[in-house]
Structure formats: C-alpha cells, structure tokens
Amino acid sequence: MIVLGIETSCDETSAALVNENKQILSNVILSQIAEHEPYGGVVPEIAARAHLDHLDRLIREALEIAGVDLGKVSGVAAAAGPGLIGGVIVGVMTAKAIALARGLPFIAVNHLEGHALTARLTNDVEWPFLLLLVSGGHCQLLLVEGVGRYRRLGTTIDDAVGEAFDKAAKLIGLGYPGGPRLEQAALRARDPGRFDLPRPMLGRPGCDFSFSGLKTAVRRCLDELPKPLPAQDGADLASAFQSAVGDALADRTARAMDLAATLAPECRTLVVAGGVAANMSVRARLDAQSARKGWRFVAPPLGLCTDNAAMIAWAGLERLRLGMTDGLDFAPRPRWPLDPDAPKARGAGVKA
Ligand code: KG4
Ligand code: ZN
C-alpha cells in the first residue's frame, strides 16, 4: 500500500509518498519563507498563489524520487484543514482531481492528525498515548486512543505556543520565521538568568495553557533596554523566553500525564508533535519530565516536526487501511478540532 500525501495548509507546499512499511519514499517540501519574509509573517493570498504555482511540479517530483507512478498508488490524501483556506482548497482540489482521474480513494486528513500520527510513522508507538501538539496555530494536550479518536485534556486560552515564539521573536527584532530564529539567538545567551519572566499557569489546576502574558512581559523588558537592542540583550531575553515556555509546557504536561493515567491507565508514552517540537530546549524539558514520571518520550525527527506531506500521507494510509475514506464532496475546513466534543475554551483569540 502506497499513499500520496499533499500538504498546503500554511506556508509549506509539500508532496510525499509513504508505504505501509513506514518507509518515506519521498517527501518534497518547498518553503515559502522568502515570499512572506518582507511582511514579517504568512500572507494568506500569497501562500495560496504559491501553492497553486508549485504543487503540480512537486507532486511529479515526489513520484519521480519515489520511483513510483500513479498506477502503484493506493490512495490520495490531502490536508483538508484546519488552516489557511485558500491553500487548503488548492491541496484538496488537486488531490480530488487525481483521485477522480485515476479512480483512487480520496482521504481528507486533518492537518493536526498528520502531526499527531507522525510518531507512529517514525517510532513504534501504540495506542493510547498522550500528545502535546505545539504548532503555530495550536497548543493542546490530547489523549490519543486511535485513528480519529482524541480526547482533549488541555488547550491554550489565548495564543498558540508557536505564535508566542513568532511574536516574541518579532519584538526582539529577530525576524521571521520566529521560532527557529529565537532558538538560534538563545544559543548565544551569556546570562540566561538575567531576565525573570513569568511562568504562565504554573501550578494552576487543569491542563490549559496561556502565553499572552509572557509576550507582554517580553515587551516590558524591552521597554527598559537600550534601542536599538544590543544583540547580547536580545540573546539573553530569547533564552529567558525559551526557558519560561519550557517550564510552562513541562508543568502542564506533567498534569496531563496524571490525568491521562486516570483515564487510560495503560498510557505511558508522551509524544510531542508540531513545529515547536523541533525546538531542542523544549524537547529536553519534556524528555526530563517524562523520565521523572517513568514515561517513554517520543519526538519525531526535526524535519518531520514542521509541516510536511509525509505526515499527511501516513495519516491517510492509517485511515485508508481502516476503510476511512472520504467523498469527493468533502468541503475543506478552515477550522477542524480533533476532539469535537471538547468544551470551547474561553478567552481572547482562542484557537480551535
Ligand atoms: O507545525 P508547523 O510547521 O505549522 C503549523 O501547523 O502551525 O509549526 C510552525 C510553528 C511556527 O510558529 C514556528 O515558529 C514554530 O512552529 N517553530 C519553532 C521552531 N521551529 C518551528 N518554534 C520554536 N523553535 C523551533 N526550532
Ligand atoms: Zn502544522
């Protein structure tokens, strides 16, 4: 079984082929960083046009690299949401067209499920597991009990953690994309303990997150510092921000581990996924937390943490082999929570 996956929900255009033996036959990723950099963030219209310009060629390349023609493909999966709707439409329409022309099943994959199931592609992870999903649009703790079976234990009440990285990086003047640049700057810190930033929600009941106060605290520190900001001050502040985020994520995750253990006693694995899972300091904090609790910790390789089509192909394959395919009338979804039963979180700017 080989599945073609397509990812166009944000600012990466990607096509991949994955087989049921967990082999990534190809995973071509075109980043749009250069197109969006002048604007300091992703511009949805520019993203949609860029996906349209490049996707056909990338699919051809993915097939060539894999040495596979469409005759050998068992299904076509596309990230059908949540995401920037213009881009999602490009990917979904392309996948449907191929499926229709070739008489193949179409699989509408939730982009978040793509991140969630990556650890089952790269490591032998069984159900159930606890998932910390940390990306540009989301920050959630979920108990994953099977394909399409998610119980949300916590979510952000304001900003997503990747968004917080991006905004903090912008404030410090590190530019776009913020997360990786902030991580690099933090490595140059000489006095990581110099700025005392708050640890949002630390010790509070429940497993929800909050990051907007941390962003405000970064702004307050900057108000006290010389302008233009000396690079060393920026590096020290970046490091302080990263530690505060690490502490907040570890604290909330520890609580979710306790909660997960009451809901599913056999759950002893923590998986981290999403773009922020590429952050080495965040990974180290979660690794240490897991060790303290006697849990197994699984983090996908860095290149499979940020958006890519291999994760969409794999989630599509997991669905296809369970007969979970979709009709060609499936409508792309700008919002699409993994756990539709979860109560809506309150607060400004709450994400799905
Ligand atoms: O999963 P992803 O590629 O796209 C979404 O689905 O959102 O995540 C992108 C987010 C961005 O906010 C980016 O700044 C953040 O992940 N990110 C990082 C790192 N690499 C990407 N944040 C912190 N450290 C990194 N190394
Ligand atoms: Zn993503």
Side-chain angles (χ1 to χ4, degrees):
M1 196 183 265
I2 298 178
V3 170
L4 167 64
I6 294 173
E7 163 58 47
T8 55
S9 65
C10 193
D11 58 345
E12 262 95 23
T13 318
S14 179
L17 287 138
V18 169
N19 70 18
E20 62 192 325
N21 299 324
K22 305 192 173 189
Q23 286 171 313
I24 300 174
L25 306 176
S26 58
N27 187 23
V28 190
I29 305 169
L30 183 72
S31 164
Q32 302 175 1
I33 286 176
E35 276 104 321
H36 300 292
E37 192 165 11
Y39 306 95
V42 181
V43 183
E45 289 77 10
I46 293 177
R49 271 171 212 280
H51 290 307
L52 197 56
D53 286 345
H54 300 295
L55 183 58
D56 287 356
R57 176 174 58 80
L58 293 187
I59 293 172
R60 262 197 305 277
E61 265 178 48
L63 289 163
E64 263 167 43
I65 292 168
V68 164
D69 61 47
L70 281 172
K72 297 227 180 69
V73 169
S74 331
V76 189
L84 301 174
I85 195 65
V88 174
I89 290 172
V90 172
V92 167
M93 292 307 289
T94 306
K96 285 179 179 174
I98 297 171
L100 182 64
R102 292 289 175 151
L104 292 171
F106 163 71
I107 308 115
V109 169
N110 183 316
H111 174 88
L112 304 175
E113 179 157 77
H115 282 301
L117 302 187
T118 300
R120 285 173 51 83
L121 165 64
T122 58
N123 299 72
D124 290 318
V125 173
E126 300 294 333
W127 323 110
F129 60 89
L130 176 66
L131 172 72
L132 173 65
L133 180 63
V134 277
S135 71
H138 298 269
C139 187
Q140 303 184 358
L141 280 154
L142 297 140
L143 180 62
V144 186
E145 297 175 304
V147 176
R149 292 176 51 209
Y150 299 88
R151 269 206 265 180
R152 199 181 75 194
L153 308 183
T155 188
T156 180
I157 58 166
D158 42 54
D159 292 349
V161 61
E163 190 180 2
F165 264 99
D166 294 334
K167 286 179 177 169
K170 204 167 180 172
L171 287 171
I172 301 173
L174 299 169
Y176 165 88
R181 292 214 182 164
L182 192 141
E183 181 174 19
Q184 287 308 312
L187 291 175
R188 296 189 290 271
R190 267 196 233 125
D191 188 0
R194 186 174 147 203
F195 299 102
D196 188 20
L197 296 178
R199 267 58 180 158
M201 312 290 272
L202 201 76
R204 294 261 286 272
C207 308
D208 285 341
F209 303 88
S210 166
F211 294 103
S212 69
L214 193 50
K215 183 185 62 196
T216 310
V218 168
R219 188 177 290 132
R220 286 221 186 89
C221 286
L222 286 165
D223 287 343
E224 309 289 311
L225 291 167
K227 282 166 214 64
L229 186 70
Q232 197 54 57
D233 291 350
D236 289 344
L237 189 52
S239 170
F241 173 85
Q242 198 171 252
S243 310
V245 168
D247 284 351
L249 292 176
D251 172 72
R252 306 281 87 197
T253 304
R255 298 188 65 92
M257 285 169 156
D258 295 341
L259 180 54
T262 65
L263 298 169
E266 67 282 27
C267 181
R268 304 288 293 171
T269 303
L270 170 68
V271 169
V272 65
V276 179
N279 185 289
M280 296 312 288
S281 145
V282 165
R283 289 162 87 102
R285 295 291 279 109
L286 297 171
D287 197 7
Q289 187 64 268
S290 304
R292 260 198 296 279
K293 295 260 184 202
W295 281 44
R296 177 183 175 206
F297 175 62
V298 178
L302 297 188
L304 294 177
C305 288
T306 44
D307 291 349
N308 66 88
M311 69 180 192
I312 304 301
W314 173 254
L317 196 148
E318 292 238 42
R319 292 192 152 254
L320 182 61
R321 63 187 179 190
L322 295 171
M324 299 162 87
T325 61
D326 296 279
L328 294 183
D329 56 350
F330 188 99
R333 299 177 180 176
R335 290 199 164 226
W336 187 0
L338 277 177
D339 177 0
D341 297 333
K344 280 221 168 12
R346 278 163 302 167
V350 165
K351 306 295 181 295

